[in-house]
Amino acid sequence: FRHRLLGLSPEWVATAGPGEARFTGLPSGRYLFQVEAVGRLSGLRSPTAAISIVVERNFLESRVVKAAGIQTD
């Protein structure tokens, strides 16, 4: 299969492994995860399946911390 995470990268990533995709350390924001099955011999693709993902801000990205002028570096 192949997948991509729009909002992070527009590029498709081919996966020949166990059928999973992992994304760690994503910044807050909205993403669209898309996946397609691709035939090994034929190269034919399934219809694209998609799911919207929202990563909420963590506390250190919150308005409260920024308004208080707390240094987070």
Side-chain angles (χ1 to χ4, degrees), residues 8-51:
L8 180 66
S9 173
E11 303 299 320
W12 287 96
V13 176
T15 305
E20 65 181 48
R22 293 180 186 221
F23 302 94
T24 58
L26 288 174
S28 59
R30 296 181 174 274
Y31 300 92
L32 182 65
F33 178 73
Q34 297 179 315
V35 63
E36 295 178 340
V38 181
R40 289 184 199 176
L41 300 176
S42 67
L44 294 175
R45 295 186 200 135
S46 69
T48 302
I51 186 168

Side-chain angles (χ1 to χ4, degrees), residues 52-72:
S52 294
I53 300 169
V54 176
V55 177
E56 299 290 339
R57 291 184 201 159
N58 66 38
F59 179 72
L60 295 178
E61 295 176 310
S62 71
R63 291 182 186 160
V64 172
V65 171
K66 290 181 180 179
I70 298 171
Q71 187 74 337
T72 60

